[in-house]
Amino acid sequence: MNVFEVPWLELSIGIPLLGSLWVAGIRNPVIALRWCLAFAAITLGCTLFVFVGQATGRSPTGASEWDILPRLFNARILELDALSAPLLPLVALLHLLTVLTTVRTKFAFDSFAWMLRLEAVRLATFACKSPWVLIGLLLVGVGLTWLELVRRGKSTRVYAIHMGLFAVCLVGGWACLDPALPVKSATLASLLIFVAVLIRSGTVPVHVWVTELFEHASFGTALLFTAPLTGMYIAIRLVLPVAPSWILTAISVFSLVTASYGAGMAAVQQQARRFFVFLFLSNASLVLVGMELHTSLSLTGSLFLWLSAALSLSGLGLTIRALEARFGRLSLSRFSGLYDHSPALAVCFLVTGLGCVGFPGTLGFVGMELLVEGAMGASPATATAIVLTAAINGIAIMRAYFLLFSGGRHLSTLSLAITTPERCAAITLSVLILGGGLYPQAGTASLYRAAESALKDSAAHRLTSQANKESAHTEPDQLRDSRMHLPSWMPGPTSRNGP
Amino acid sequence: MEIATVLGLSVLLSPVLLLATLGGGSLIDWPLSERNINRLARLTMLVGLLASIGVLMVMLIGGTRHVTVLSAAWIRLPHYHFFVKFVFDRLSVPLVILTFLLCGIIVSFATRYMHRERGYNRFFTLFAIFIVGMVLTCLAGTIETLFVGWELVGLSSALLVAFLQERPAPVRSGLHIWIIYRVSDAALLLAAILMHHMLGEGDFGRLLATDPAHPWPQGTISATPVQALVIGLLLVVAAAGKSALVPFSGWLPRAMEGPTPSSAVFYGALSVHLGAFLLLRMNPLLVASHLLALLVITLGLVTATYAHVVGSVQTDIKSVLSFASLTQVGLIVAEIGLGAWIPVLWYVALAHLLGHACVRTLQFVRAPMLLQDYRRLEGAIGGPLRRPNAGFLRLIPVRCRAWVYVFALERGYLDSILTTFLVAPFVKLFGCFDRIERRWCDFLAGRQPSAVPTPSAVVPPAADGTRSLP
């Protein structure tokens, strides 16, 4: 049996799910942490096998003859392509690092079981192409995070309002496209999904749930909910193939406004968490900008920026989380002078922060370079706006660095130095951000293929839609609906209705 | 492999290895001892210097004036290539030799000056970033490679100004410089992208038609005057930010908050000349657009005059030296602009740059011993030293002198203008957005409006109420 014939994809989701059941029964938080770490590490290993199998072509869709789900449901629920393959190890790594850097003072009953549960859901989300299953998984992820807020006894209204609207728009939008359902309108569907993407991506003006989530949920939960940039995944899977071009333009405009707004807000914030949120929103929105530009290059830049932003922002978030575990909520209205206590965290802050803004030598530089290059071909004004946004983000990062780590000296009789697990996380992130920045060819080539594939699907859909419109007056509705074209990776009307 | 290639790669790799060793050690919390840092830094400077002199020798003996040591695609996609290319020519060789020479001297100086200083390892790590940035910028054969070096120089510069990080003032200055540098970087990046967009090239060899047969400064550019003007204007903004030309001159005296060795090599010698270097590298643009050349001349002369007037009222030696540097940089820029009509002036500007960098480094390094030097000189000649005359400032009408004095004392109000008309409105606007957003959030959550202080400044004011940014 070949190593790539092992059902790594199903194991990637099954192991954390199994782990959550196992860890839930452990009362001692230290032992629970160790088990959680073990399950998260094994999951990362499985996702790496999935990624290697996809990248080398040994298992391009992650399918294995030992898979259980196709036998149970008589359909392929989990399926990979070049786009989602690198996202799985990324998500698994982020979970592992988050668990690894959790300090003892933050251990809470059942939190590790929740973490593994959420990891399984997120991995399944990124390994899924089937629209309804994807929508279901997205809603489960949203619901579990809401439950976490409720468990902490925090206000959930802002989150619930936004996520409720997100759920309604997403389900309603896709329902309008489903031939099995009575309501059909491509424009209405596109609009609803467009609104859902805007909400989930935290685009201005429907972004306040992100600040509220970071304010009231634990930093780790909020980070893991937002950092993989799920909004971008929805946009690629559900919007790009079916939306008319004006929807993509609208997403781009909203994203560009959010990116600029987020950068400006990050530069004037007086609290570290809010600074992080706005920096996050700005970078996440830049990722969405590339989607509209319709060029393989800009979409490649966007996808590359997606990976680099997820990694760098998570690293930055984990650094702020580690600082908060030592010094409490961090203020940016005065100099804190924390460098002497934690120089390694200062270096990590700088490396991850500069990685976010596309500084040369980091992973973000490549993504930003490709995105700006692609944008210049499509719209010089967009390219200029991206460059200026990145410049302001750079100012915001250094301002936060200076305010947190210098300008004075924090006095403490306790050692607040970095711990060994935190150092491991810092080194891992730095190596990935700097190593990926110095040798980007493999990643860019793979993402370029993914971008071309996504654009081909999108173009094929538009052509078919146009043909459908032209023949609309001669064909009965039922026939027209059955011809509604969906991308190659989406199940057609026949398979959706069953064999 | 040819000997020039081996030597060229040594020039590139020696500072990279220094950075990797110092930076990697810091990251895994295994910093080298002072002695090992010194040995490693001196060795890499020596290797870099000898290798760059070796390349010069090979070029002189071989009679070539344009050697490409590395040309490889860093990213290769259909319809897009990111080339990394390094070129030794009449412009880059003198500058890279100067870089290793001055950095080597400063390493020796800093070894004693920074002895047992807190952050010794940090100083040399940042210094290594600077050297890598300088070498990449000098040898860059494409605009993208130049941009990478340009950014590294900016980062190390801002962090070294804020080196004495337990005091707020250096940190505030570091942030001020970083903000100006980001504007400059954005302009350079836009210029690079516009070059690709308008002219289809970022490779200097093809863009400026420089090759072994037509080495620098004989290049030409196939751009229309309008294209040359647009790209040139962005490059001028980039150069003005990096070289502290008007209206960005306010950061130069602030940069003196850093340790003397870094001030010497950054603001007396190398970093402050990078703007002039950029204009020299892109010299065919000046020929393609005479309007741009006139603008460069004007900018250079205005900067030189401004720096001379402001420098004449400074009361501390590092500020005096920084404005004296700026005067010379202004003149060098003016010479580069004039080169559009008299090409030999580009050689003059290069020689001016090299000579000025050496003299100014010496002055900066001697600055902490200025009083001792004066006492020794006055003791030797048996009387007080002659005060320098006021030069052309004597020509100012008497009734205007008070105004000029105040203007000079306030450093031309350049910082105030930038702060009042750019930074303050920005902070105010986003402070207003922040308030609105908090109220909206409170409304949605059904809470009482929270009383959170709204931003009024980029950085908090100092204890005495002074601040560099609103």
Side-chain angles (χ1 to χ4, degrees):
Chain A
M1 181 180 167
N2 187 325
V3 71
F4 291 105
E5 287 173 15
V6 176
W8 293 115
L9 188 54
E10 287 194 354
L11 283 175
S12 304
I13 293 147
I15 285 171
L17 212 53
L18 194 72
S20 73
L21 297 174
W22 177 260
V23 172
I26 299 172
R27 297 283 157 189
N28 184 334
V30 178
I31 298 171
L33 169 73
R34 286 181 191 156
W35 277 107
C36 183
L37 268 177
F39 280 111
I42 296 168
T43 306
L44 175 62
C46 293
T47 56
L48 283 172
F49 273 108
V50 172
F51 173 59
V52 173
Q54 202 284 330
T56 55
R58 306 292 291 273
S59 174
T61 60
S64 160
E65 60 183 80
W66 299 89
D67 280 337
I68 299 168
L69 289 178
R71 293 171 202 202
L72 286 178
F73 297 101
N74 204 18
R76 282 209 62 77
I77 291 173
L78 303 178
E79 202 174 349
L80 279 180
D81 59 14
L83 172 71
S84 48
L87 292 173
L88 295 185
L90 176 73
V91 171
L93 178 70
L94 296 186
H95 281 82
L96 177 65
L97 294 183
T98 307
V99 178
L100 192 67
T101 53
T102 304
V103 292
R104 278 175 183 247
T105 51
K106 300 289 176 188
F107 286 1
F109 173 69
D110 207 27
S111 64
F112 297 115
W114 272 91
M115 180 88 80
L116 289 170
R117 230 165 276 159
L118 284 165
E119 182 177 7
V121 173
R122 281 179 199 126
L123 286 171
T125 306
F126 285 109
C128 175
K129 289 177 171 181
S130 172
W132 280 115
V133 182
L134 174 60
I135 291 168
L137 287 166
L138 286 167
L139 298 185
V140 170
V142 165
L144 286 174
T145 308
W146 178 76
L147 280 177
E148 161 96 12
L149 278 173
V150 172
R151 270 165 27 117
R152 289 172 65 89
K154 299 287 184 183
S155 162
T156 59
R157 272 181 66 173
V158 178
Y159 178 82
I161 290 169
H162 283 86
M163 287 302 124
L165 191 60
F166 162 72
V168 169
C169 289
L170 195 60
V171 174
W174 200 256
C176 290
L177 284 176
D178 196 322
L181 294 172
V183 185
K184 290 173 199 70
S185 165
T187 309
L188 179 65
S190 303
L191 257 178
L192 288 172
I193 301 171
F194 161 68
V195 173
V197 168
L198 291 192
I199 295 171
R200 188 63 181 82
S201 307
T203 309
V204 173
V206 281
H207 65 287
V208 287
W209 67 269
V210 188
T211 46
E212 280 287 295
L213 183 67
F214 272 88
E215 193 65 32
H216 295 137
S218 70
F219 204 112
T221 304
L223 190 65
L224 290 172
F225 185 68
T226 50
L229 308 188
T230 314
M232 178 70 180
Y233 192 72
I234 304 171
I236 295 267
R237 291 288 185 227
L238 303 183
V239 178
L240 191 61
V242 299
S245 59
W246 64 267
I247 286 281
L248 299 180
T249 308
I251 289 181
S252 176
V253 170
F254 273 93
S255 303
L256 203 55
V257 169
T258 306
S260 314
Y261 177 81
M265 289 290 271
V268 300
Q269 285 308 308
Q270 308 229 336
Q271 291 163 353
R273 278 206 186 193
R274 275 181 78 83
F275 149 77
F276 176 76
V277 169
F278 284 109
L279 189 76
F280 172 84
L281 290 179
S282 179
N283 282 283
S285 303
L286 278 181
V287 173
L288 270 174
V289 171
M291 209 183 74
E292 181 270 335
L293 301 168
H294 299 305
T295 63
S296 303
L297 196 60
S298 65
L299 193 54
T300 308
S302 192
L303 297 179
F304 204 92
L305 203 59
W306 183 0
L307 297 181
S308 74
L311 205 60
S312 307
L313 286 166
S314 303
L316 186 68
L318 290 176
T319 312
I320 293 176
R321 180 172 173 250
L323 287 170
E324 282 194 351
R326 290 162 170 75
F327 307 103
R329 289 286 174 109
L330 301 166
S331 168
L332 296 181
S333 59
R334 58 185 161 76
F335 289 111
S336 300
L338 307 180
Y339 186 92
D340 280 346
H341 286 287
S342 39
L345 286 177
V347 173
C348 193
F349 187 96
L350 210 52
V351 170
T352 52
L354 293 174
C356 292
V357 300
F359 196 80
T362 65
L363 205 55
F365 176 66
V366 183
M368 197 62 84
E369 172 74 22
L370 291 171
L371 180 62
V372 173
E373 190 74 35
M376 185 55 95
S379 155
T382 305
T384 308
I386 293 171
V387 170
L388 292 178
T389 301
I392 298 173
N393 276 334
I395 292 170
I397 279 286
M398 286 301 277
R399 170 183 174 265
Y401 171 82
F402 282 136
L403 286 170
L404 289 175
F405 292 101
S406 53
R409 190 188 289 183
H410 181 85
L411 297 174
S412 170
T413 51
L414 296 171
S415 168
L416 299 167
I418 192 168
T419 60
T420 307
E422 285 171 343
R423 187 179 297 283
C424 289
I427 291 172
T428 307
L429 285 167
S430 303
V431 167
L432 286 173
I433 292 170
L434 297 175
L438 293 173
Y439 182 66
Q441 176 58 33
T444 47
S446 160
L447 291 176
Y448 188 82
R449 286 194 295 276
E452 283 210 312
S453 162
L455 285 174
K456 255 182 215 162
D457 284 340
S458 171
H461 168 253
R462 288 204 180 85
L463 281 174
T464 318
S465 299
Q466 205 173 348
N468 284 343
K469 271 182 196 167
E470 283 165 6
S471 59
H473 62 282
T474 58
E475 290 179 2
D477 282 352
Q478 205 177 351
L479 181 60
R480 189 170 70 238
D481 289 335
S482 70
R483 284 191 184 179
M484 182 178 281
H485 175 85
L486 291 171
S488 53
W489 44 263
M490 286 193 186
T494 313
S495 63
R496 243 196 316 254
N497 294 336
Chain B
M1 198 182 281
E2 288 179 18
I3 187 155
T5 309
V6 174
L7 291 169
L9 287 176
S10 306
V11 171
L12 285 165
L13 290 179
S14 57
V16 171
L17 284 176
L18 176 67
L19 175 60
T21 312
L22 296 181
S26 303
L27 199 63
I28 59 171
D29 200 19
W30 196 24
L32 299 181
S33 65
E34 267 195 30
R35 178 179 291 189
N36 286 335
I37 291 174
N38 298 337
R39 282 180 183 163
L40 189 64
R42 286 178 195 206
L43 181 69
T44 49
M45 291 304 100
L46 189 66
V47 169
L49 180 64
L50 292 177
S52 47
I53 291 172
V55 175
L56 176 66
M57 289 300 153
V58 170
M59 288 168 73
L60 289 175
I61 293 165
T64 177
R65 298 292 177 267
H66 187 103
V67 174
T68 303
V69 291
L70 181 69
S71 179
W74 187 48
I75 305 171
R76 188 187 287 276
L77 296 174
H79 317 299
Y80 176 80
H81 297 99
F82 189 119
F83 269 102
V84 177
K85 186 177 171 185
F86 298 100
V87 172
F88 286 81
D89 62 8
R90 284 178 184 144
L91 180 61
S92 59
V93 168
L95 268 171
V96 84
I97 290 175
L98 182 79
T99 300
F100 280 114
L101 185 67
L102 295 185
C103 287
I105 290 169
I106 292 301
V107 162
S108 295
F109 179 76
T111 299
R112 288 171 181 79
Y113 190 89
M114 305 293 292
H115 179 53
R116 294 201 175 176
E117 182 79 39
R118 285 159 61 85
Y120 189 91
N121 183 61
R122 181 160 49 94
F123 175 85
F124 276 94
T125 306
L126 294 174
F127 200 68
I129 295 178
F130 168 72
I131 300 166
V132 172
M134 272 306 296
V135 171
L136 289 183
T137 309
C138 293
L139 297 178
T142 64
I143 187 86
E144 291 86 2
T145 320
L146 190 145
F147 178 74
V148 171
W150 189 269
E151 288 257 52
L152 289 176
V153 169
L155 177 70
S156 57
S157 180
L159 289 173
L160 273 171
V161 168
F163 178 78
L164 303 168
Q165 55 189 13
E166 284 160 17
R167 291 191 289 117
V171 175
R172 223 174 265 119
S173 299
L175 183 59
H176 186 109
I177 289 166
W178 178 252
I179 292 173
I180 301 289
Y181 276 1
R182 287 305 285 178
V183 175
S184 156
D185 297 343
L188 181 60
L189 185 56
L190 282 175
I193 294 160
L194 267 182
M195 271 185 214
H196 272 285
H197 190 61
M198 290 179 171
L199 312 173
E201 274 302 338
D203 185 320
F204 293 141
R206 287 195 286 268
L207 182 73
L208 308 176
T210 49
D211 52 42
H214 302 91
W216 184 89
Q218 296 169 14
T220 53
I221 192 165
S222 58
T224 63
V226 175
Q227 287 176 334
L229 183 65
V230 172
I231 295 170
L233 282 176
L234 286 168
L235 291 176
V236 166
V237 173
K242 206 63 151 189
S243 287
L245 305 178
V246 171
F248 300 117
S249 309
W251 68 258
L252 195 58
R254 291 180 197 285
M256 300 303 140
E257 295 275 6
T260 296
S262 63
S263 300
V265 80
F266 278 72
Y267 313 113
L270 298 173
S271 174
V272 80
H273 288 120
L274 274 185
F277 168 78
L278 180 67
L279 294 176
L280 278 174
R281 175 59 77 199
M282 301 303 296
N283 61 339
L285 280 172
L286 301 171
V287 181
S289 168
H290 282 181
L291 187 60
L292 180 68
L294 281 174
L295 192 83
V296 169
I297 295 168
T298 311
L299 184 65
L301 292 178
V302 168
T303 302
T305 311
Y306 162 85
H308 182 67
V309 171
V310 175
S312 62
V313 302
Q314 298 304 308
T315 51
D316 66 288
I317 184 61
K318 282 175 86 174
S319 294
V320 171
L321 287 175
S322 68
F323 280 107
S325 272
L326 193 54
T327 309
Q328 297 304 316
V329 172
L331 292 176
I332 292 169
V333 169
E335 287 161 9
I336 295 168
L338 279 169
W341 290 275
I342 314 163
V344 75
L345 281 178
W346 286 324
Y347 289 110
V348 173
L350 180 58
H352 191 166
L353 188 159
L354 298 173
H356 174 241
C358 293
V359 170
R360 203 61 73 190
T361 303
L362 176 67
Q363 288 182 334
F364 266 104
V365 169
R366 293 298 296 180
M369 292 162 279
L370 182 77
L371 293 178
Q372 195 183 337
D373 285 354
Y374 266 45
R375 235 187 348 262
R376 195 175 293 162
L377 280 170
E378 287 179 343
I381 62 174
L385 286 165
R386 198 162 61 88
R387 288 172 63 82
N389 62 37
F392 75 88
L393 294 177
R394 284 178 304 171
L395 303 175
I396 297 170
V398 177
R399 66 174 186 278
C400 296
R401 284 186 185 173
W403 291 101
V404 173
Y405 180 73
V406 173
F407 173 85
L409 215 52
E410 294 289 337
R411 293 172 178 167
Y413 299 98
L414 289 182
D415 274 2
S416 306
I417 292 168
L418 289 177
T419 299
T420 310
F421 294 106
L422 288 177
V423 186
F426 178 89
V427 173
K428 204 172 171 183
L429 177 71
F430 282 98
C432 180
F433 286 150
D434 198 47
R435 276 195 302 279
I436 293 169
E437 193 167 298
R438 282 175 190 277
R439 279 183 199 152
W440 172 240
C441 228
D442 290 336
F443 168 74
L444 284 181
R447 291 189 298 255
Q448 289 294 319
S450 49
V452 177
T454 52
S456 60
V458 173
V459 288
D464 61 358
T466 59
R467 60 190 184 201
S468 59
L469 295 165

